[in-house]
Amino acid sequence: MPRAARSGWLTPRRRKAILSRGVLYLLLAIIALFFAGPLYILLSTSFKTMPEIQSGGLMALPHEPTVQPWVTAWGEACIGITCGGLKGYFGNSMVMTIPAVLISVMIGAINGYALAKWPFPGARFVFAALVAGNFVPFQVVLAPVAVTLRTLGLFGSVEGLILIHVIYGIPITTMLFRNFFLSVPNDLIKAARIDGAGFFWIFFRIVLPLSPSVIVVALILQFTGIWNDFLFAVSFSNPSSAPMTVALNNLVNSNFGVKEYNVHMAATVIAAAPTLILYILLGRYFLRGMTAGAVKG
Amino acid sequence: MFTKLGVLGSAMAFALTTTTPVFAGTAEVIHWWTSGGEAAALKILVEAYEKTGNTWKDNPVAGGEAARMVARTRILGGDPPTSMQWQVGAPLMALAEEGQLNDIDAVAQDWDKLLPKVIADNAKYKGKYVSAPMDIHGHNWLWGNQAVLDDVGIPMPKTWDELIASADKIRAKGYIPLALGGQSWQEIFVFESILIDVGGRDFLTKVTYNLDDTALRSPEMLKAFETFAKVRDLVDPGSPSRDWNITGGLLINGKAAYMIMGDWLKGEFVAANKAPGKDIACEVFPAGGKTLVFGTDAFAMTAVKDPATREAQLALAKTIMDPVVQKEFSLRKGSIPPRLDIDKTGFDPCAQIAMGEAAEGHLFLVPDNVADATSIGALVDQMTTFLHSKMTPQEGMTAMADAVAATR
Amino acid sequence: MRRFLQRHVSQVALSPSLALIAIFLYGFIAYTAAVSTTNSKAFPRFDSFVGLEQYWRLFHTPRWHVAFTNMFLFGGLFLLVTISLGLVIAILIDQRIRAESFFRSIVMYPMAMSFVVTGIIWQWLLNPTLGIEVMVHQLGFTSFRLDWLTNPDTVIWALVVAAFWQGCGLVMALFLAGLRGIDEDIWKAAAVDGIPAWRVYVYIVIPMLAPVFLTVVVLLALSIVRSFDLVVALTNGGPGVSSDLPSVFMFDMAFRRTNLGLSAASAVVMLGTVLAILIPYLYVETRERG
């Protein structure tokens, strides 16, 4: 819904009614400062030389800014004996993340729709079981997952990793879509069913077109989760298919080695870049999506 | 410190090209050497290994726990790596008992003569080698910033009493007496050195290996806790939760006089252009304790069947124990070679001290690799809880003994 | 057959997912419960049945009590702080401000960052000899103290602040979206009746966000249970073991102390506790809406 159409509730009177503009912006500035503070340290450290970092003054701006840490993190840093930085791992991450995100979002959409709009006796129980079971700590399921993947012949393959991400993504995507679809008016669906429309026809022709927004929300959530996953990635990938998080961890997380904080900071931003870009590109839809979700029902 | 590369490099090439492999295989190796200095050392091993005609497939996983988690998951998934970095002693035996390891006796005939007994014993299962040791890292090192010590006008202390006695002078000059990072694995080095100080090697054995209830409640133990309680006053308020690297910076930059840390700290000295043994004094602490607590990085050989991979495994074991590889590796890693027949030339003064300790049989394998992991873990938890609490030594000792007893 | 499919189409559509969930969640929970009754060390072995011994051991481990208590302390504070401030920030951003997308992005970006490194930054910021305390001292306020990270009694707040920093973006976005979806007529009606805005929020708008609260609570609860990087990077459980959480305890027991049996027992206790709290909540929440 375009914002202009909603200007009714954004009258100056209402705006004034909550807080004066001055106080509002002051509060927002404090909030922004809190959230941006670590970003400042991250970026300023990433442009410092190691001697400058070692000499203390972690909060200060760099004296002699250098881009070398970024160059190193991107293309030169040694991850084990291969000194090619992070750049070689983007592809692996994409190959794993994109299918896993798309499939888990699609399954979540169908599940959420089934639970919210075609309820059956026990649907509530099914939903509760789906959400509750998700609280199992992943560290303890590594062993049975490994054995299961081995049985399926998928251990160490990208397909296996995608399968695991899809399965453990089902509860969250289902929950998102279910809670969203609850607010889609039932009348629309009833009318279509009386006309003889089936489950999937209504899903694709009526429900999905109403919900590009929640799809984007689910995409963003799943992309962030799967792109940043380390536990499954490190356990079920092999050296040639290792995604970005494994490389990032290898770069920054050495126990006893000398820590090159400047390179670590640069690498963190580089590894997060695709997710950040996704937020910026989809940010508008993200919000508009949820908006459409809660329309009067 | 790393100068004679060219000469040694060619010597190494010669040493290794004389062995012609029967099969050429690929060794996929899981390890946790991911930082710059560690990778530089690892390259020595890899290059030497590839000269044997085999291929090294690198699988780095930063962090020892994460690497071991991956290795275990791989074994359960039916796809074990050819070899993996794995601690010797109890952790290695746990794998061997499951039938997950191959022996490498075919290339280890003379290892008993070459290795310190403690390493040889702990790298074997039922009398056969299942693991090849690459290096030795000492833990109970006391490092002192020489400029700070000179400024205060004190020598390196020999005992804990001397160290604590010097603290006031150090503080009077505005320095922090002891740089300590606040994580239990850092603090246990301090505690272990105190245990040696109060009761010698025997007492350390009783407490950390045997987790002996009588020792855990003995007068010596109380004395250890009394000394340990004083450590609370030796450190600065930023100590808890601080990374060891940042903590090392306090020592290197002359803000703190002492630090107790494993010899990998030398990597930070080199990065800051400080010479170990000169700018930063070193001492196995307490001096004269005849005990160098150490860990060894070793490679366990998994139970692979394929003949080519098996051959790759044996070639790897052989390369790891090659004298030139052992020396060149440790020069870059800051460690010392497990082989006792390596000459000391080229090593820094601190490494030379460590090599002397090893030769005299003063090595003491880190308790994590010997004692029951849950029990020693409970000890470590109580040690760190005590340090960051206001518990009296008596209370701390009882709490530790009780927690250890509950794990049996 | 066709008729059956038509009548039960939603169950049919759900069944593949449910089968997978039955195996990969509930099957593996049962597996974990089985491991917790054994003396498994490095690998799961079912020939070493020890009954409930691991549970006895668990309840006699002082560190577990700290971790378990912390789950409630940290979890409760984190939920409270993140939900309330997330909602407030969403309401502030919803005031048709300038540069909205800037403020939105600055609150959301931490979600995308690996905590392995950003945890180190928080460690620096909260360290009394390196970070904020030093900065404030340099400004002249030398009596200022910020020792959350180094004081065992307050370290939980350090975790809460860092977790809030990372988790607030998602909560804010969900609430903001919910707010935007609310019927404009409500505001018009309220304006006509002269009801103050804060009352409209408290009595009308916030209750209408109930489904968003459900989503938010579940997502935050998940991140509490799984917050592993946070603790490892920020405090490593310290000072002492004062900031330990069940997820860290579990990992330590399984992979550092090679005691899979004890690790599984702690997982079962944690899961049981979380479900005991969550299932009544889910029951109530879904009934209202279902």
Side-chain angles (χ1 to χ4, degrees), chain A residues 1 3 5-6 8-10 13-15 17-19 21 24-25 27-29 31-32 34-36 38-39 41-42 45 58-59 107 110-111 114-115 118 120 124 126-145 148 164 167-168 170-172 175-176 178-179 182 199-200 221 224 228 248-249 252-253 261 264-265 268-269 272 275-276 279 283-284 286-287 290-291 294-296, chain C residues 6 9-11 13-14 17-18 20-21 24-26 28-29 31-32 44 89 92-98 100 102-104 106-114 116-118 120-122 124-125 130-131 135 161 164-165 168 170 173-174 176-178 180-184 187-188 191 197 201 211 214-215 218-219 221-222 225-226 228 247 250-251 255 263 267 270-271 274-275 278-279 282-283 286-287 289-290:
Chain A
M1 197 185 297
R3 178 162 296 174
R6 291 190 279 128
W9 59 268
L10 290 163
R13 182 159 38 149
R14 178 197 160 220
R15 280 186 262 135
I18 297 166
L19 285 171
R21 293 265 105 180
L24 176 67
Y25 280 105
L27 285 176
L28 283 168
I31 291 163
F34 170 78
F35 283 97
L39 184 66
I41 294 174
L42 185 83
T45 307
L58 297 169
M59 308 295 133
I107 293 177
I110 294 174
N111 287 349
L115 285 170
W118 295 68
F120 49 89
R124 251 173 71 206
V126 167
F127 175 68
L130 210 63
V131 173
N134 203 26
F135 280 82
V136 62
F138 287 150
Q139 287 101 341
V140 303
V141 304
L142 285 182
V145 169
T148 310
I164 293 305
I167 291 171
Y168 288 113
I170 287 175
I172 283 192
M175 179 182 77
L176 263 182
R178 174 196 172 271
N179 290 355
L182 281 178
F199 181 85
F200 285 104
L221 256 183
T224 309
N228 286 326
L248 179 69
N249 184 65
V252 307
N253 218 5
Y261 290 108
H264 298 178
M265 304 286 160
T268 300
V269 179
T275 325
L276 295 175
Y279 291 173
R284 302 184 302 142
F286 192 2
L287 297 166
M290 299 300 243
T291 305
V295 287
K296 52 222 145 184
Chain C
Q6 273 173 353
V9 62
S10 64
Q11 286 105 310
L14 275 167
S17 297
L18 294 182
L20 287 173
I21 293 305
F24 280 81
L25 292 179
Y26 289 93
F28 293 172
I29 290 170
Y31 172 94
T32 306
I89 294 172
L92 293 181
I93 289 181
D94 192 35
Q95 304 308 307
R96 207 176 186 197
I97 53 166
R98 279 168 204 280
E100 179 192 309
F102 166 78
F103 284 109
R104 221 171 48 209
I106 209 85
V107 179
M108 278 175 70
Y109 87 92
M111 215 195 328
M113 312 297 274
S114 151
V116 174
V117 170
T118 46
I120 292 169
I121 295 176
W122 278 103
W124 294 353
L125 275 172
L130 298 171
M135 265 185 345
V161 169
F164 165 73
W165 174 81
C168 182
L170 179 64
L174 286 163
L176 181 56
R180 294 263 157 102
I182 283 170
D183 198 333
E184 65 205 61
W187 286 107
K188 282 184 191 152
Y201 273 114
L214 174 63
T215 312
V218 171
L219 289 177
L222 266 177
V225 170
R226 292 181 187 160
F228 176 77
S247 53
M250 213 174 289
F251 182 86
F255 300 109
S263 173
M270 189 195 83
L271 187 66
V274 172
L275 293 191
L278 205 68
I279 283 181
L282 282 172
Y283 184 79
T286 54
R287 183 159 64 179
R289 313 213 27 100

Side-chain angles (χ1 to χ4, degrees), chain A residues 178-195:
Chain A
R178 174 196 172 271
N179 290 355
F180 173 86
F181 288 146
L182 281 178
S183 58
V184 172
N186 279 325
D187 308 348
L188 278 175
I189 289 164
K190 268 187 201 140
R193 283 176 81 167
I194 289 164
D195 292 342

Side-chain angles (χ1 to χ4, degrees), chain B residues 222-242:
Chain B
L222 188 62
K223 173 119 198 318
F225 268 98
E226 279 161 1
T227 306
F228 196 46
K230 290 177 188 154
V231 171
R232 292 171 184 159
D233 301 325
L234 299 179
V235 303
D236 66 303
S239 164
S241 304
R242 189 172 52 205

Side-chain angles (χ1 to χ4, degrees), chain B residues 231-301:
Chain B
V231 171
R232 292 171 184 159
D233 301 325
L234 299 179
V235 303
D236 66 303
S239 164
S241 304
R242 189 172 52 205
D243 235 7
W244 71 270
N245 306 67
I246 294 283
T247 306
L250 294 180
L251 175 79
I252 293 167
N253 297 320
K255 291 187 181 123
Y258 310 122
M259 179 163 174
I260 291 178
M261 176 52 58
D263 52 19
W264 47 85
L265 184 62
K266 287 191 289 186
E268 298 278 350
F269 304 160
V270 172
N273 285 322
K274 303 270 184 196
K278 190 166 156 271
D279 303 319
I280 309 282
C282 57
E283 188 137 48
V284 176
F285 198 71
K290 297 191 171 164
T291 310
L292 178 61
V293 181
F294 80 102
T296 178
D297 289 306
F299 286 85
M301 303 297 168

Side-chain angles (χ1 to χ4, degrees), chain C residues 147-269:
Chain C
D147 64 349
W148 288 352
L149 194 60
T150 53
N151 181 343
D153 299 328
T154 53
V155 66
I156 222 74
W157 280 103
L159 289 184
V160 171
V161 169
F164 165 73
W165 174 81
Q166 204 186 26
C168 182
L170 179 64
V171 172
M172 179 279 296
L174 286 163
F175 278 128
L176 181 56
L179 288 170
R180 294 263 157 102
I182 283 170
D183 198 333
E184 65 205 61
D185 295 344
I186 288 167
W187 286 107
K188 282 184 191 152
V192 170
D193 294 347
I195 303 170
W198 68 269
R199 294 192 61 159
V200 184
Y201 273 114
V202 172
Y203 293 107
I204 304 171
V205 174
I206 293 175
M208 285 175 79
L209 295 176
V212 185
F213 274 93
L214 174 63
T215 312
V216 166
V217 168
V218 171
L219 289 177
L220 290 184
L222 266 177
S223 75
I224 293 164
V225 170
R226 292 181 187 160
S227 49
F228 176 77
D229 286 354
L230 171 74
V231 179
V232 171
L234 188 59
T235 67
N236 213 350
V241 296
S242 57
S243 63
D244 204 17
L245 282 181
S247 53
V248 180
F249 181 90
M250 213 174 289
F251 182 86
D252 253 22
M253 292 307 140
F255 300 109
R256 187 172 303 164
R257 306 203 172 154
T258 51
N259 195 336
L260 277 183
L262 187 60
S263 173
S266 68
V268 170
V269 171

Side-chain angles (χ1 to χ4, degrees), chain A residues 54-55 78-83 142-143 146-147 150 155 231 234-236 239 249-250 253-259 261, chain B residues 34-35 38-39 42-43 58-64 69-70 73-74 76-78 185 243-246 253 264 267-268:
Chain A
Q54 278 169 336
S55 68
C78 294
I79 292 158
I81 54 162
T82 324
C83 297
L142 285 182
V147 175
R150 176 189 191 171
F155 189 86
L231 190 69
V234 75
S235 303
F236 304 126
N249 184 65
N250 283 340
N253 218 5
S254 160
N255 285 1
F256 301 122
V258 174
K259 289 196 173 156
Y261 290 108
Chain B
T34 51
S35 77
E38 292 168 326
L42 181 63
K43 268 186 199 146
D58 199 41
N59 191 356
V61 180
M69 172 186 85
V70 172
T73 310
R74 287 278 301 274
L76 282 168
W185 68 262
D243 235 7
W244 71 270
N245 306 67
I246 294 283
N253 297 320
W264 47 85
E268 298 278 350

